């Protein structure tokens, strides 16, 4: 302060023609404090200038500043503190004349919260001491931390006189899960606390400090290394003050011969005494401070001293603005101009509010509506050596003049030492974040950071950490195993590549092959009686329709398309009607042939080859008309069935019009039942003409298959529905092929002697000739 006052008085541009004076008061202790405040107000103990004071600089303690300002505010005397940081002093209703060049704890607390948020320290402990600074700061920190989702596991009060409280602190540190501990104390209490902590092996903690002690390197020792190694916190920014280093190092006891403080200071530094002593050498007063290495002689950079420097300049600029008026009023404040003899504290107070300047060392000074200056902090990290010495490294900064999102910054490529012997950023959480695939649920009986994680229900996902809700996948998507992504549902249809599809394809091709083989056998023996009997033309037409039946089963295999869906059902319906029409024709021929052998009857003329062809054509055209109506009104179409299975899509052919489907199937059933009835009636006809037994048995199989098909078709899921339909087609086709043609092939190949007209005619009973 003295250096700055002298520097200003030497400056011809600032306060020209005016010299600043000062008084020093002892503010330690409650008695000294009250007496100093009264003396300052009354103007007692002056030192070489007018007894009327215009402002008070100090105090470093927030509690002391509160008491002083209650006295000064009643007299409108401005107070400027260089180190009182309590956020409570920003309340202008209670402390209207209070200003400070040190940032309010309000900003430091915001910075500490941002620091913990940046490193994702969501579960912290706090140890604080008695006193306004610690108690108010801790309360504000807990509030702000809660807003950012940071929880306080414990908040413990440390008292130097209460051993039980200290034992509680030790026990809590040992059992707590929080890895980060905020030590919110003044330097005085931290020094005592660390001295007690030395004997306890408390490790694994990341200590975070406040500006009151985080730069006090002399706290470091070999015994405190396990505590302070890696500690970090916000400190007042470093600044160089030109000339101050030389000023401090040039101090001699002769400069203040009446000061016992300077003498004690000198004796400690040089291990000498101004009084004769047998244990130490005599002090000469000419010793050189540059030969001593300690905190006082470390004058390269300053922290708290820079706030004093700014405070003195603040008052000088306020006075300068008050006195330097060219017109009748001050251009800055609009207040009347005064001479130096008319200066009053309340006028100085008004001008302090509008001060805005930059010091020689580049520090900007201005105030907001609460009397707080711009907040700037250095983030420092304690990096200790094995011998207990410490290097306090600047690893980042917090500056409220920067835009949101840029206020807190870490320096790039700067080594950071972490507490708790960690090689990486310590994890301090009550519960690890809920990973994707789970949702976060708050437990009402625990702090908000101690939440629960529940797996997302079936069909839902969460793709973010700590997601509060699980999202339902779109209809065509389904969660993966981790339930953190929606993947396209796999599609299912009866494919040629799978075993079931391949087997059904194989059976279909076997059926086609057997039909061709039988056709070849019949064609090579077309002139034989067993082939010519019962209309060989219908037999060849029946074999052709059976080939088509086997082939139409293949249209049901493979991925459904618009054309395949229309083809499979219509082809199936028409080919089966053609097949049943041929069987029905053969059944009628058997009956007519028998009636024709009776005397006086000539019924074959009513059902000759032409009528047989016409009947087959007519029956088939009816089915064709039904299919055309079905395809015209509401045809089958490809459909993604997502209702039967949640996790996959069934690709199938929707019927379009169920009426059309059941009309096709019903018509086939009607012809099959009619054929079965006629064949059943003809089952006892003479063996030579009787193909009815074989037809009866084949139609019995046909009807049994398709009656069984209906419930199986309705109840089968997914691709099995198609498999059931194919099976019904193949089974009924094989039934017709085997029952009607295999016995004849057996006679043709293995019993050729029975394939003669004589043999066939020989079995006709006499009554039928």
């Amino acid at each position: 302060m003295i250096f700055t006052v002298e520097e200003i008085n030497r400056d011809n541009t600032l306060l020209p023609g005016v010299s600043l004076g000062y008084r020093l008061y002892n503010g330690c202790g409650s008695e000294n404090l009250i007496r100093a405040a009264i003396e300052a107000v009354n103007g007692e103990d002056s030192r070489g200038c007018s007894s009327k004071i215009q402002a008070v600089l100090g105090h470093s303690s927030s509690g002391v500043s509160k008491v002083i300002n209650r006295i000064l505010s009643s007299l409108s005397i401005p107070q400027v503190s260089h180190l009182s940081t309590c956020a409570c002093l920003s309340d202008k209703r209670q402390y209207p004349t209070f200003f400070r060049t040190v940032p309010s704890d309000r900003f430091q607390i915001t910075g500490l919260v941002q620091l913990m948020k940046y490193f994702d320290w969501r579960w912290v402990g706090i140890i604080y001491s008695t006193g306004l600074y610690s108690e108010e700061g801790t309360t504000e920190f807990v509030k702000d931390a809660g807003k950012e989702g940071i929880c306080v596991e414990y908040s413990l009060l440390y008292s130097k006189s209460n051993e039980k409280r200290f034992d509680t602190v030790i026990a809590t540190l040992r059992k707590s899960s929080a890895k980060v501990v905020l030590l919110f104390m003044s330097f005085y209490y931290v020094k005592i606390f660390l001295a007690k902590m030395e004997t306890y092996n408390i490790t694994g903690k990341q200590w975070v400090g406040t500006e009151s002690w985080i730069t006090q390197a002399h706290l470091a020792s070999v015994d405190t290394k396990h505590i302070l190694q890696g500690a970090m916190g916000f400190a007042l920014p470093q600044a160089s003050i030109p000339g101050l280093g030389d000023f401090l190092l040039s101090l001699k006891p002769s400069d203040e011969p009446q000061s016992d403080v300077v003498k004690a200071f000198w004796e400690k530094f040089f291990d000498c005494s101004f009084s004769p002593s047998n244990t130490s050498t005599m002090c000469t007063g000419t010793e050189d401070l540059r030969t001593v290495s300690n905190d006082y002689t470390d004058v390269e950079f300053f922290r708290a001293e820079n706030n004093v420097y700014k405070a003195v300049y603040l008052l000088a600029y306020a006075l300068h603005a008050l006195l330097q008026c060219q017109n009748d009023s001050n251009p800055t404040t609009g207040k009347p101009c005064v001479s130096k003899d008319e200066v009053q504290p309340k006028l100085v107070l008004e001008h302090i509010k509008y001060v805005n300047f930059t010091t020689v060392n580049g520090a900007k000074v201005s105030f907001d509506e609460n009397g707080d200056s711009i907040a700037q902090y250095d983030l420092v990290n304690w990096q200790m050596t094995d011998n207990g010495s410490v290097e306090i490294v600047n690893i980042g900064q917090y500056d409220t003049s920067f835009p949101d999102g840029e206020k807190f910054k870490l320096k790039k490529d700067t080594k950071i030492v972490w507490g708790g012997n960690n090689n990486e950023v310590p994890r301090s959480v009550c519960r690890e974040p809920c990973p994707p695939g789970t949702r976060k649920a708050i437990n009402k009986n625990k702090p908000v950071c101690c939440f629960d994680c529940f797996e997302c229900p079936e069909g839902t996902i969460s793709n973010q950490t700590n997601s509060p809700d699980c999202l339902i996948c779109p209809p065509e998507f389904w969660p993966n195993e981790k339930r953190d992504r929606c993947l396209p549902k796999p599609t299912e249809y009866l494919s040629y590549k799978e075993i079931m599809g391949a087997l059904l394809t194989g059976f279909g091709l076997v059926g086609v092959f057997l039909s061709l083989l039988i056709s070849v056998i019949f064609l090579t023996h077309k002139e034989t009686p067993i082939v010519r009997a019962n209309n060989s033309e219908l037999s060849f037409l029946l074999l052709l329709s059976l080939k088509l039946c086997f082939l139409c089963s293949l249209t049901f295999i493979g991925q459904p398309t618009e054309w395949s869906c229309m083809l499979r059902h219509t082809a199936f319906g028409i080919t089966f009607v053609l097949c049943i029409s041929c069987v029905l024709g053969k059944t009628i021929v058997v009956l007519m042939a028998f009636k024709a052998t009776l005397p006086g009857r000539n019924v074959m003329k009513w059902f000759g080859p032409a009528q047989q062809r016409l009947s087959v054509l007519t029956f088939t055209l009816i089915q064709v008309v039904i299919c055309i109506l079905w395809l015209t009104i509401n045809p089958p179409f490809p459909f993604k069935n997502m209702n039967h299975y949640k996790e996959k899509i069934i690709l199938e052919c929707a019927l379009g019009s169920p009426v059309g489907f059941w009309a096709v199937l019903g018509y086939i059933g009607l012809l099959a039942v009619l054929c079965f009835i006629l064949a059943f009636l003809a089952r006892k006809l003479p063996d030579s003409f009787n193909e009815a037994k074989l037809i009866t048995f084949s139609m019995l199989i046909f009807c049994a298959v398709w009656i069984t098909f209906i419930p199986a078709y309705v109840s089968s899921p997914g691709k099995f529905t198609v498999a059931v339909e194919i099976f019904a087609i193949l089974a009924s086709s094989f039934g017709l092929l085997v029952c009607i043609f295999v016995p004849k092939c057996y006679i043709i190949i293995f019993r050729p002697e029975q394939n003669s007209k004589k043999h066939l005619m020989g079995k006709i009973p006499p009554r039928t000739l």
Side-chain angles (χ1 to χ4, degrees):
M1 185 204 70
I2 296 172
F3 165 80
T4 310
V5 169
E6 293 179 357
E7 183 179 80
I8 292 170
N9 287 339
R10 291 193 301 268
D11 190 345
N12 295 326
T13 60
L14 184 62
L15 290 176
V18 177
S19 295
L20 294 179
Y22 58 88
R23 300 185 190 133
L24 301 178
Y25 294 95
N26 181 5
C28 297
S30 57
E31 293 183 2
N32 289 336
L33 171 63
I34 300 298
R35 182 169 61 251
I38 294 173
E39 289 177 354
V41 170
N42 292 333
E44 299 176 5
D45 191 28
S46 63
R47 298 188 61 179
C49 62
S50 171
S51 62
K52 185 168 60 176
I53 67 165
Q54 305 300 334
V56 172
L57 298 183
H59 191 280
S60 59
S61 166
S62 296
V64 174
S65 290
K66 283 181 66 175
V67 175
I68 292 175
N69 196 258
R70 292 190 185 279
I71 299 173
L72 299 179
S73 293
S74 62
L75 302 172
S76 298
I77 298 176
Q79 175 189 358
V80 182
S81 173
H82 64 286
L83 215 55
S84 296
T85 59
C86 179
C88 59
L89 291 167
S90 297
D91 186 351
K92 284 301 170 191
R93 291 174 299 179
Q94 297 190 55
Y95 314 103
T97 66
F98 181 82
F99 298 87
R100 53 185 159 197
T101 52
V102 65
S104 164
D105 278 336
R106 167 81 269 153
F107 303 110
Q108 180 181 205
I109 289 165
T110 302
L112 288 170
V113 170
Q114 292 301 313
L115 169 69
M116 295 185 180
K117 184 179 176 182
Y118 181 87
F119 290 119
D120 201 27
W121 294 334
R122 303 282 175 172
W123 187 236
V124 301
I126 304 176
I127 303 173
Y128 67 100
S129 60
T130 55
L132 185 67
Y133 168 76
S134 300
E135 292 173 356
E136 290 281 343
T138 300
T139 302
E140 290 297 320
F141 176 83
V142 172
K143 272 194 228 173
D144 282 16
K147 293 176 184 177
E148 295 291 341
I150 299 170
C151 300
V152 177
E153 182 183 8
Y154 56 85
S155 180
L156 301 177
L157 175 64
Y158 166 70
S159 175
K160 63 178 182 179
S161 59
N162 192 328
E163 286 299 323
K164 288 186 178 180
R165 286 187 183 275
F166 182 73
D167 293 341
T168 302
V169 169
I170 296 299
T172 303
L173 285 172
R174 282 177 171 164
K175 69 180 183 180
S176 72
S177 59
K179 300 296 183 184
V180 176
V181 183
L182 174 61
L183 199 58
F184 212 124
M185 298 184 188
S186 63
F187 168 69
Y188 171 75
Y189 280 99
V190 170
K191 189 174 182 180
I192 299 172
F193 177 77
L194 291 178
K196 287 187 175 183
M197 283 281 292
E198 289 176 0
T199 58
Y200 295 90
N201 187 25
I202 304 295
T203 58
K205 303 295 181 182
Q206 173 67 53
W207 293 88
V208 177
T210 59
E211 44 75 31
S212 63
W213 66 269
I214 197 65
T215 56
Q216 302 298 325
H218 56 274
L219 289 172
S221 67
V222 174
D223 295 327
T224 59
K225 180 183 177 183
H226 67 284
I227 304 173
L228 295 177
Q229 173 72 301
M232 65 173 57
F234 287 111
L236 298 175
Q238 282 184 334
S240 62
I241 302 177
L244 179 57
D246 293 335
F247 179 82
L248 294 175
L249 296 177
S250 65
L251 177 68
K252 300 292 182 183
S254 57
D255 297 335
E256 298 287 341
Q258 306 300 321
S259 175
D260 294 332
V261 174
V262 173
K263 289 181 180 178
F265 160 86
W266 202 266
E267 290 176 342
K268 180 179 179 182
F269 277 8
F270 295 103
D271 192 23
C272 61
S273 174
F274 285 99
S275 301
S277 172
N278 295 328
T279 58
S280 59
T281 59
M282 286 290 295
C283 295
T284 63
T286 59
E287 291 85 355
D288 189 356
L289 285 172
R290 290 177 175 82
T291 63
V292 181
S293 177
N294 53 39
D295 289 344
Y296 180 84
T297 59
D298 182 7
V299 294
E300 183 178 1
F301 294 104
F302 301 95
R303 295 186 187 272
E305 297 85 351
N306 191 44
N307 292 334
V308 178
Y309 186 72
K310 291 188 292 184
V312 178
Y313 263 99
L314 163 68
L315 295 175
Y317 272 96
L319 286 169
H320 183 83
L322 177 62
L323 296 173
Q324 297 300 309
C325 299
Q326 297 178 356
N327 302 315
D328 293 335
S329 63
N330 190 307
T332 304
T333 64
K335 303 293 183 181
C337 295
V338 297
S339 65
K340 63 179 181 180
D341 295 328
E342 297 173 321
V343 173
Q344 297 292 329
K346 64 180 180 179
L347 297 177
V348 177
L349 174 64
E350 289 298 321
H351 283 74
I352 288 177
K353 297 177 183 178
Y354 302 101
V355 164
N356 189 342
F357 66 95
T358 303
T359 61
V360 176
N361 63 355
K364 295 180 179 180
V365 180
S366 62
F367 296 102
D368 60 17
E369 64 276 8
N370 297 319
D372 293 323
S373 58
I374 296 171
Q376 293 176 319
Y377 294 99
D378 288 339
L379 179 62
V380 298
N381 178 226
W382 283 51
Q383 301 181 8
M384 300 184 68
T385 61
D386 292 335
N387 63 8
S389 63
V390 62
E391 182 181 3
I392 300 177
V393 180
N394 188 352
I395 60 172
Q397 66 176 8
Y398 182 76
D399 192 334
T400 59
S401 66
F402 290 165
D404 290 338
E406 299 180 13
K407 290 182 170 62
F408 176 69
K409 290 181 180 178
L410 281 182
K411 288 185 177 180
K412 294 181 179 179
D413 303 324
T414 301
K415 178 187 175 183
I416 300 177
V417 174
W418 302 104
N421 297 319
N422 289 296
N423 296 322
E424 55 187 19
V425 182
R427 292 285 296 160
S428 187
V429 292
C430 178
R431 173 68 184 262
E432 289 295 332
C434 294
T438 62
R439 67 177 180 87
K440 176 181 175 181
I442 302 300
N443 190 326
K444 294 181 179 179
N445 299 320
K446 297 179 181 178
V448 68
C449 300
C450 302
F451 45 81
D452 295 320
C453 298
F454 295 103
E455 187 178 17
C456 285
E458 187 180 58
T460 62
I461 65 153
S462 64
N463 53 10
Q464 295 179 344
T465 302
N466 284 337
S467 176
D469 298 299
C470 294
L471 306 175
I472 300 175
C473 287
E476 296 187 11
F477 291 80
W478 190 253
N480 59 357
E481 289 185 6
K482 295 182 179 180
R483 299 189 180 181
D484 59 358
R485 291 172 56 201
C486 286
L487 301 178
K489 288 181 181 179
T491 55
E492 181 181 89
Y493 57 88
L494 189 60
S495 170
Y496 293 102
K497 296 180 180 179
E498 59 181 294
I499 295 176
M500 185 166 58
L503 286 174
L504 292 173
T505 302
F507 281 118
L509 294 176
V510 168
V512 173
F513 173 75
L514 291 177
S515 299
L516 284 171
L517 181 62
I518 292 172
S519 298
V520 171
I521 293 171
F522 268 49
L523 189 61
T524 56
H525 298 82
K526 64 182 178 178
E527 300 299 331
T528 59
I530 202 166
V531 176
R532 294 181 64 185
N534 203 354
N535 195 335
S536 61
E537 185 178 334
L538 284 180
S539 296
F540 283 109
L541 189 58
L542 177 57
L543 285 170
L544 174 63
S545 65
L546 285 172
K547 292 187 194 77
L548 295 176
C549 287
F550 284 120
L551 288 173
C552 83
S553 68
L554 302 181
T555 63
F556 288 81
I557 303 174
Q559 183 173 346
T561 63
E562 186 176 350
W563 285 103
S564 69
C565 286
M566 291 190 291
L567 178 63
R568 63 172 59 172
H569 288 101
T570 53
F572 153 71
I574 293 171
T575 55
F576 259 77
V577 165
L578 178 61
C579 180
I580 300 300
S581 298
C582 293
V583 176
L584 184 59
K586 292 176 71 66
T587 306
I588 295 174
V589 168
V590 171
L591 285 172
M592 293 298 105
F594 174 72
K595 296 296 182 182
T597 59
L598 297 179
R601 296 192 179 185
N602 188 18
V603 295
M604 284 303 294
K605 68 179 181 178
W606 300 108
F607 201 72
Q611 286 80 8
Q612 293 169 23
R613 295 188 197 100
L614 183 61
S615 65
V616 171
L617 180 61
T618 302
F619 288 138
T620 305
L621 284 176
I622 293 173
Q623 184 73 305
V624 170
V625 171
I626 295 173
C627 290
I628 290 173
L629 290 173
W630 182 14
L631 295 178
T632 303
I633 297 171
N634 192 2
F637 58 89
F639 173 67
K640 294 180 179 180
N641 187 344
M642 293 178 279
N643 297 324
H644 199 86
Y645 294 106
K646 295 178 181 178
E647 71 282 0
K648 58 185 176 182
I649 299 174
I650 306 299
L651 297 181
E652 59 186 23
C653 287
L655 296 176
S657 171
V659 175
F661 173 75
W662 291 110
V664 168
L665 207 60
Y667 183 63
I668 295 173
L670 178 63
L671 293 181
V673 170
L674 179 60
C675 186
F676 175 74
I677 292 172
L678 293 177
F680 182 79
L681 292 175
R683 73 189 187 282
K684 294 185 178 180
L685 295 178
D687 290 345
S688 303
F689 295 92
N690 195 0
E691 201 175 18
K693 285 184 179 180
L694 300 178
I695 294 174
T696 302
F697 191 65
S698 67
M699 295 314 298
L700 184 63
I701 294 174
F702 185 91
C703 292
V705 168
W706 285 101
I707 290 171
T708 308
F709 160 77
I710 294 173
Y713 179 83
V714 172
S715 60
S716 297
K719 62 184 178 182
F720 297 104
T721 304
V722 180
V724 166
E725 194 166 356
I726 296 173
F727 177 79
I729 293 171
L730 294 176
S732 56
S733 300
F734 273 113
L736 291 172
L737 184 67
V738 172
C739 292
I740 294 176
F741 292 101
V742 169
K744 294 182 178 181
C745 290
Y746 177 78
I747 292 173
I748 292 171
I749 297 172
F750 298 105
R751 295 288 187 268
E753 69 277 4
Q754 297 180 11
N755 189 9
S756 62
K757 187 175 181 181
K758 180 180 179 181
H759 178 77
L760 295 175
M761 296 299 292
K763 292 189 177 181
I764 301 175
R767 64 180 180 84
T768 61
L769 295 176

